[in-house]
Amino acid sequence: MSDALSRTVSPALTAAMTMSGRSIRLSRRNIDAVITSMMLPLMMMVVFIYFFGGAIDTGTAYVTYVVPGILVLCAAFGASTTAVGVSEDMKGGIIDRFRSLDVGGTAILTGHVAASTLRNLLSTALVLAVALLVGFRPSASPAAWLAAGGILIAFLIAISWLAAAVGLLARSPEAAGGFTFFMSFLPYPSSAFVPIDTMPGWLHSFADHQPVTPLIESLRGLLLSQPVGTTPWAALAWCAVIMAVATGASGVLFRMRTR
């Protein structure tokens, strides 16, 4: 049984790694899109800190408050590239060639997700480096850094799978690119940029219970050595739900689009 499992898993893993390398090479060729997805969060951080930060009272330095939200926004921008890449594959006919080589849909999509996660990790590192330059001063312990990193990576993987599902659902790369708007909007009605209690009352319920709020609160609490309670578990639960729905939908949509 173990030999049979090994013979099954090894080709699948090899195919997934090959598809990941392909997606990374495509990213290097489409460097303008990669730069855009990295620069937009940086520009947003600069705008909020230097244009609006002086007018927003968060009880602490605004750069300290806003950076966790920018990290989530960075992931949203980066994931949109995955949606476009998957849509271009489905439209360009390359999928038929892969299937003739016995490369399954799981390997193809896993390659896109792995490349997206790597791009987002690089973007996150860049945002953190610039944030430190403009005054962000985290006080996290090594364990808190590891916990924050684990939660953020879980979100990056989940949102990348969601982007892959959107790329399969969209009928054109342009439509898939519209995914950016939805994902970049979601951090605004949350605690990313202003405290939720400053928002209109009718918005509180949505802001308190949407996916990115516990994620941002977890990152902020862990990086600033503040109490986090059960918020990290809520963030991980949301990531698990998003990933379960997205991977299931991706499998169904891939079979529908390629049959």
Side-chain angles (χ1 to χ4, degrees):
M1 179 65 69
S2 60
D3 290 341
L5 181 62
S6 177
R7 287 194 297 270
T8 301
V9 171
S10 181
L13 181 60
T14 300
M17 292 177 65
T18 301
M19 291 297 101
S20 299
R22 169 184 175 266
S23 296
I24 292 171
R25 288 192 296 272
L26 289 175
S27 296
R28 291 206 305 262
R29 296 172 188 171
N30 194 17
I31 195 66
D32 54 339
V34 175
I35 291 176
T36 299
S37 66
M38 290 183 176
M39 292 305 298
L40 280 175
L42 291 177
M43 294 172 63
M44 293 293 294
M45 181 168 63
V46 170
V47 166
F48 272 94
I49 292 173
Y50 292 109
F51 292 5
F52 306 140
I56 300 176
D57 182 15
T58 60
T60 184
Y62 190 64
V63 62
T64 301
Y65 183 88
V66 80
V67 166
I70 296 296
L71 294 177
V72 175
L73 193 64
C74 180
F77 280 123
S80 67
T81 306
T82 305
V84 174
V86 171
S87 182
E88 287 177 343
D89 276 356
M90 301 305 297
K91 184 179 180 181
I94 191 67
I95 299 299
D96 292 333
R97 183 177 300 177
F98 287 148
R99 286 169 63 85
S100 70
L101 297 172
D102 199 26
V103 178
T106 300
I108 296 170
L109 297 177
T110 299
H112 280 287
V113 170
S116 173
T117 303
L118 179 59
R119 288 194 304 267
N120 275 322
L121 286 174
L122 293 175
S123 299
T124 299
L126 179 61
V127 168
L128 278 175
V130 175
L132 291 171
L133 290 175
V134 299
F136 181 56
R137 296 294 179 265
S139 55
S141 66
W145 272 107
L146 288 174
I151 293 171
L152 187 58
I153 290 173
F155 179 71
L156 293 178
I157 295 172
I159 204 69
S160 296
W161 271 108
L162 181 59
V166 170
L168 290 168
L169 185 64
R171 292 296 175 176
S172 69
E174 292 78 15
F179 176 67
T180 305
F181 174 79
F182 171 74
M183 288 307 303
S184 62
F185 173 77
L186 201 56
Y188 289 92
S190 74
S191 61
F193 303 110
V194 296
I196 290 176
D197 58 14
T198 65
M199 298 178 183
W202 57 268
L203 192 56
H204 283 190
S205 181
F206 175 78
D208 280 328
H209 298 97
Q210 64 135 310
V212 302
T213 295
L215 174 69
I216 293 168
E217 291 297 321
S218 298
L219 294 177
R220 184 177 291 129
L222 289 168
L223 294 178
L224 302 179
S225 299
Q226 298 173 353
V228 293
T230 60
T231 305
W233 298 112
L236 290 173
W238 270 113
C239 291
V241 169
I242 293 171
M243 187 169 176
V245 172
T247 53
S250 295
V252 173
L253 289 168
F254 188 86
R255 289 192 293 271
M256 291 176 60
R257 292 289 302 272
T258 57
R259 65 186 179 185

Coordinates of all heavy atoms in Angstrom, one line a residue, residues 101-157:
L101 N -0.5 15.8 -21.6 CA 0.7 15.4 -20.9 C 0.4 14.7 -19.6 O 1.4 14.5 -18.8 CB 1.7 16.5 -20.8 CG 2.2 17.2 -22.1 CD1 3.0 18.5 -21.7 CD2 3.1 16.2 -22.8
D102 N -0.8 14.5 -19.3 CA -1.3 13.9 -18.1 C -1.0 14.7 -16.9 O -0.6 14.2 -15.8 CB -0.7 12.5 -17.9 CG -1.4 11.6 -16.9 OD1 -2.6 11.9 -16.8 OD2 -0.8 10.7 -16.3
V103 N -1.1 16.1 -17.0 CA -0.9 17.0 -15.9 C -2.4 17.4 -15.4 O -3.1 17.9 -16.2 CB -0.2 18.3 -16.3 CG1 -0.1 19.2 -15.1 CG2 1.2 17.9 -16.8
G104 N -2.7 17.0 -14.2 CA -4.0 17.3 -13.7 C -4.3 18.7 -13.3 O -3.4 19.5 -13.1
G105 N -5.6 19.0 -13.1 CA -6.0 20.3 -12.7 C -5.5 20.7 -11.4 O -5.1 21.9 -11.1
T106 N -5.4 19.8 -10.4 CA -4.8 20.1 -9.1 C -3.4 20.6 -9.2 O -3.1 21.6 -8.5 CB -4.9 18.9 -8.2 OG1 -6.2 18.4 -8.1 CG2 -4.3 19.2 -6.8
A107 N -2.6 20.0 -10.0 CA -1.2 20.4 -10.1 C -1.1 21.8 -10.8 O -0.3 22.7 -10.3 CB -0.4 19.4 -11.0
I108 N -1.9 22.1 -11.8 CA -1.9 23.4 -12.5 C -2.3 24.5 -11.5 O -1.6 25.5 -11.4 CB -2.9 23.3 -13.7 CG1 -2.4 22.3 -14.7 CG2 -3.0 24.7 -14.3 CD1 -3.4 22.0 -15.8
L109 N -3.4 24.3 -10.8 CA -3.9 25.3 -9.8 C -2.9 25.5 -8.7 O -2.7 26.6 -8.2 CB -5.3 25.0 -9.4 CG -6.3 24.9 -10.4 CD1 -7.7 24.5 -9.9 CD2 -6.5 26.3 -11.1
T110 N -2.4 24.3 -8.2 CA -1.4 24.4 -7.1 C -0.2 25.2 -7.5 O 0.4 26.0 -6.7 CB -1.0 23.0 -6.6 OG1 -2.1 22.3 -6.2 CG2 0.1 23.1 -5.5
G111 N 0.2 25.1 -8.7 CA 1.4 25.9 -9.2 C 1.1 27.4 -9.2 O 1.9 28.2 -8.7
H112 N -0.1 27.8 -9.6 CA -0.5 29.2 -9.5 C -0.6 29.7 -8.1 O -0.1 30.8 -7.7 CB -1.9 29.4 -10.2 CG -1.9 29.5 -11.6 ND1 -1.4 30.6 -12.3 CD2 -2.2 28.6 -12.6 CE1 -1.5 30.4 -13.6 NE2 -2.0 29.2 -13.8
V113 N -1.1 28.8 -7.2 CA -1.2 29.2 -5.8 C 0.1 29.4 -5.1 O 0.4 30.3 -4.4 CB -2.1 28.2 -5.0 CG1 -2.1 28.5 -3.5 CG2 -3.6 28.3 -5.5
A114 N 1.0 28.4 -5.4 CA 2.4 28.5 -4.8 C 3.1 29.7 -5.3 O 3.8 30.4 -4.5 CB 3.2 27.2 -5.2
A115 N 3.0 30.0 -6.6 CA 3.7 31.2 -7.1 C 3.1 32.5 -6.5 O 3.8 33.4 -6.1 CB 3.6 31.3 -8.6
S116 N 1.7 32.5 -6.3 CA 1.1 33.6 -5.7 C 1.5 33.8 -4.3 O 1.8 35.0 -3.8 CB -0.4 33.4 -5.8 OG -1.1 34.5 -5.0
T117 N 1.6 32.8 -3.5 CA 2.1 32.8 -2.1 C 3.5 33.4 -2.0 O 3.8 34.2 -1.2 CB 2.0 31.5 -1.5 OG1 0.6 31.0 -1.6 CG2 2.4 31.6 0.0
L118 N 4.4 32.9 -2.9 CA 5.7 33.4 -2.9 C 5.8 34.9 -3.3 O 6.5 35.7 -2.6 CB 6.6 32.6 -3.9 CG 8.0 33.0 -4.0 CD1 8.8 32.9 -2.7 CD2 8.8 32.2 -5.1
R119 N 5.0 35.3 -4.3 CA 5.0 36.8 -4.6 C 4.5 37.6 -3.5 O 5.0 38.7 -3.2 CB 4.1 37.0 -5.9 CG 4.6 36.5 -7.2 CD 3.8 37.1 -8.3 NE 2.4 36.7 -8.2 CZ 1.8 35.7 -8.8 NH1 2.6 34.8 -9.5 NH2 0.5 35.5 -8.7
N120 N 3.5 37.1 -2.8 CA 2.9 37.8 -1.7 C 3.8 37.9 -0.5 O 3.8 38.9 0.2 CB 1.5 37.2 -1.3 CG 0.4 37.7 -2.1 OD1 0.3 38.9 -2.5 ND2 -0.5 36.8 -2.4
L121 N 4.6 36.9 -0.3 CA 5.6 36.9 0.8 C 6.6 38.0 0.5 O 7.1 38.7 1.4 CB 6.2 35.6 1.0 CG 5.4 34.5 1.6 CD1 6.1 33.1 1.6 CD2 5.0 34.9 3.1
L122 N 7.1 38.1 -0.8 CA 8.0 39.1 -1.1 C 7.4 40.5 -1.0 O 8.1 41.4 -0.5 CB 8.5 38.9 -2.6 CG 9.3 37.6 -2.8 CD1 9.6 37.5 -4.3 CD2 10.6 37.7 -2.1
S123 N 6.2 40.7 -1.4 CA 5.5 41.9 -1.2 C 5.4 42.3 0.3 O 5.6 43.5 0.7 CB 4.1 41.9 -1.9 OG 4.2 41.6 -3.2
T124 N 5.0 41.3 1.1 CA 4.9 41.6 2.5 C 6.2 42.0 3.1 O 6.3 43.0 4.0 CB 4.4 40.3 3.2 OG1 3.1 39.9 2.7 CG2 4.3 40.5 4.7
A125 N 7.3 41.4 2.7 CA 8.6 41.7 3.2 C 8.9 43.2 2.8 O 9.5 44.0 3.6 CB 9.7 40.8 2.7
L126 N 8.6 43.5 1.6 CA 8.9 44.9 1.1 C 8.1 45.9 1.9 O 8.6 47.0 2.3 CB 8.5 45.0 -0.4 CG 8.7 46.4 -1.0 CD1 10.2 46.8 -0.9 CD2 8.3 46.3 -2.5
V127 N 6.8 45.6 2.1 CA 5.9 46.5 2.9 C 6.5 46.7 4.3 O 6.5 47.8 4.9 CB 4.5 46.0 2.9 CG1 3.6 46.8 3.9 CG2 3.8 46.2 1.5
L128 N 6.8 45.6 4.9 CA 7.4 45.7 6.3 C 8.7 46.5 6.4 O 8.9 47.3 7.3 CB 7.6 44.3 6.9 CG 6.4 43.6 7.4 CD1 6.8 42.1 7.8 CD2 5.9 44.3 8.6
A129 N 9.5 46.3 5.3 CA 10.8 47.1 5.3 C 10.5 48.6 5.2 O 11.1 49.4 5.9 CB 11.6 46.6 4.2
V130 N 9.6 49.0 4.3 CA 9.3 50.4 4.2 C 8.6 50.9 5.4 O 8.8 52.0 5.9 CB 8.4 50.6 2.9 CG1 7.9 52.1 2.8 CG2 9.2 50.2 1.7
A131 N 7.7 50.1 6.0 CA 7.0 50.5 7.2 C 8.0 50.8 8.4 O 7.9 51.8 9.1 CB 6.0 49.4 7.7
L132 N 9.1 50.0 8.5 CA 10.1 50.2 9.5 C 10.8 51.5 9.2 O 11.2 52.3 10.1 CB 11.1 49.1 9.5 CG 10.6 47.7 10.1 CD1 11.6 46.6 9.8 CD2 10.2 47.9 11.5
L133 N 11.0 51.9 7.9 CA 11.7 53.1 7.6 C 10.8 54.3 7.9 O 11.4 55.4 8.3 CB 12.0 53.1 6.1 CG 13.1 52.2 5.6 CD1 13.2 52.2 4.1 CD2 14.4 52.5 6.3
V134 N 9.5 54.2 7.9 CA 8.6 55.4 8.1 C 8.1 55.4 9.6 O 7.2 56.2 9.9 CB 7.5 55.4 7.1 CG1 8.0 55.5 5.7 CG2 6.5 54.2 7.3
G135 N 8.6 54.5 10.4 CA 8.3 54.7 11.8 C 7.6 53.5 12.5 O 7.2 53.6 13.7
F136 N 7.3 52.4 11.8 CA 6.6 51.3 12.4 C 7.6 50.6 13.4 O 8.7 50.2 13.0 CB 6.2 50.3 11.3 CG 5.4 49.1 11.9 CD1 4.3 49.2 12.7 CD2 5.9 47.8 11.6 CE1 3.7 48.1 13.2 CE2 5.2 46.7 12.1 CZ 4.1 46.8 12.9
R137 N 7.2 50.4 14.6 CA 8.0 49.8 15.6 C 7.3 48.7 16.4 O 6.8 48.9 17.4 CB 8.5 50.9 16.6 CG 9.3 52.0 16.0 CD 10.7 51.5 15.6 NE 11.5 52.5 15.0 CZ 11.6 52.8 13.7 NH1 10.8 52.1 12.8 NH2 12.3 53.7 13.2
P138 N 7.4 47.5 15.8 CA 6.8 46.3 16.5 C 7.5 45.9 17.7 O 8.8 46.2 17.8 CB 6.8 45.2 15.4 CG 8.0 45.6 14.5 CD 8.0 47.1 14.5
S139 N 6.8 45.4 18.7 CA 7.5 44.9 19.9 C 7.2 43.5 20.2 O 7.2 43.0 21.3 CB 7.0 45.8 21.1 OG 5.5 45.7 21.2
A140 N 7.0 42.7 19.1 CA 6.7 41.3 19.2 C 7.9 40.4 19.7 O 9.0 40.7 19.3 CB 6.1 40.8 17.9
S141 N 7.6 39.4 20.4 CA 8.6 38.4 20.8 C 8.8 37.5 19.6 O 7.9 37.5 18.6 CB 8.1 37.6 22.0 OG 6.9 36.8 21.6
P142 N 9.8 36.7 19.6 CA 10.0 35.7 18.5 C 8.8 34.8 18.3 O 8.4 34.5 17.1 CB 11.3 34.9 18.9 CG 12.0 35.9 19.7 CD 11.0 36.7 20.5
A143 N 8.2 34.3 19.4 CA 7.0 33.5 19.2 C 5.9 34.2 18.6 O 5.1 33.6 17.8 CB 6.6 32.9 20.6
A144 N 5.7 35.5 19.0 CA 4.6 36.3 18.4 C 4.8 36.5 16.9 O 3.9 36.5 16.1 CB 4.5 37.6 19.2
W145 N 6.1 36.8 16.5 CA 6.4 36.9 15.1 C 6.1 35.7 14.3 O 5.5 35.7 13.2 CB 7.9 37.2 14.9 CG 8.3 38.7 15.0 CD1 8.9 39.3 16.0 CD2 8.0 39.7 14.0 NE1 9.0 40.7 15.7 CE2 8.5 40.9 14.5 CE3 7.4 39.7 12.8 CZ2 8.4 42.1 13.8 CZ3 7.3 40.9 12.0 CH2 7.8 42.1 12.5
L146 N 6.4 34.5 14.9 CA 6.1 33.2 14.2 C 4.6 33.1 14.1 O 4.1 32.6 13.1 CB 6.7 32.1 15.0 CG 8.2 31.9 14.9 CD1 8.7 30.8 15.8 CD2 8.7 31.6 13.5
A147 N 3.9 33.4 15.2 CA 2.4 33.2 15.1 C 1.8 34.2 14.1 O 0.9 33.8 13.3 CB 1.8 33.5 16.5
A148 N 2.3 35.4 14.1 CA 1.8 36.4 13.1 C 2.1 35.9 11.7 O 1.2 36.0 10.8 CB 2.4 37.8 13.4
G149 N 3.3 35.4 11.5 CA 3.7 35.0 10.2 C 2.9 33.8 9.7 O 2.5 33.7 8.6
G150 N 2.6 32.8 10.7 CA 1.8 31.7 10.3 C 0.4 32.1 9.9 O -0.2 31.5 9.0
I151 N -0.2 33.0 10.7 CA -1.6 33.4 10.3 C -1.6 34.1 9.0 O -2.5 33.9 8.2 CB -2.1 34.4 11.4 CG1 -2.3 33.6 12.8 CG2 -3.4 35.1 11.0 CD1 -2.6 34.5 13.9
L152 N -0.6 35.0 8.7 CA -0.6 35.7 7.5 C -0.4 34.7 6.3 O -1.0 34.9 5.2 CB 0.5 36.7 7.5 CG 0.6 37.7 6.3 CD1 -0.7 38.4 6.1 CD2 1.7 38.7 6.4
I153 N 0.5 33.7 6.5 CA 0.7 32.7 5.4 C -0.6 31.9 5.1 O -0.9 31.6 4.0 CB 1.9 31.8 5.8 CG1 3.2 32.6 5.7 CG2 1.9 30.6 4.8 CD1 4.4 31.8 6.2
A154 N -1.3 31.6 6.2 CA -2.5 30.9 6.0 C -3.5 31.7 5.2 O -4.2 31.2 4.3 CB -3.2 30.5 7.4
F155 N -3.6 33.0 5.5 CA -4.4 33.9 4.7 C -4.0 34.0 3.3 O -4.8 34.0 2.3 CB -4.5 35.3 5.3 CG -5.4 36.2 4.6 CD1 -6.7 36.1 4.6 CD2 -4.8 37.3 3.9 CE1 -7.6 37.0 3.9 CE2 -5.6 38.2 3.2 CZ -7.0 38.0 3.2
L156 N -2.7 34.1 3.0 CA -2.2 34.2 1.7 C -2.5 33.0 0.9 O -2.9 33.1 -0.3 CB -0.6 34.4 1.7 CG -0.1 35.6 2.3 CD1 1.5 35.6 2.3 CD2 -0.6 36.9 1.6
I157 N -2.4 31.8 1.4 CA -2.7 30.6 0.7 C -4.2 30.5 0.5 O -4.7 30.2 -0.7 CB -2.3 29.3 1.5 CG1 -0.8 29.3 1.6 CG2 -2.8 28.0 0.9 CD1 -0.2 28.2 2.6

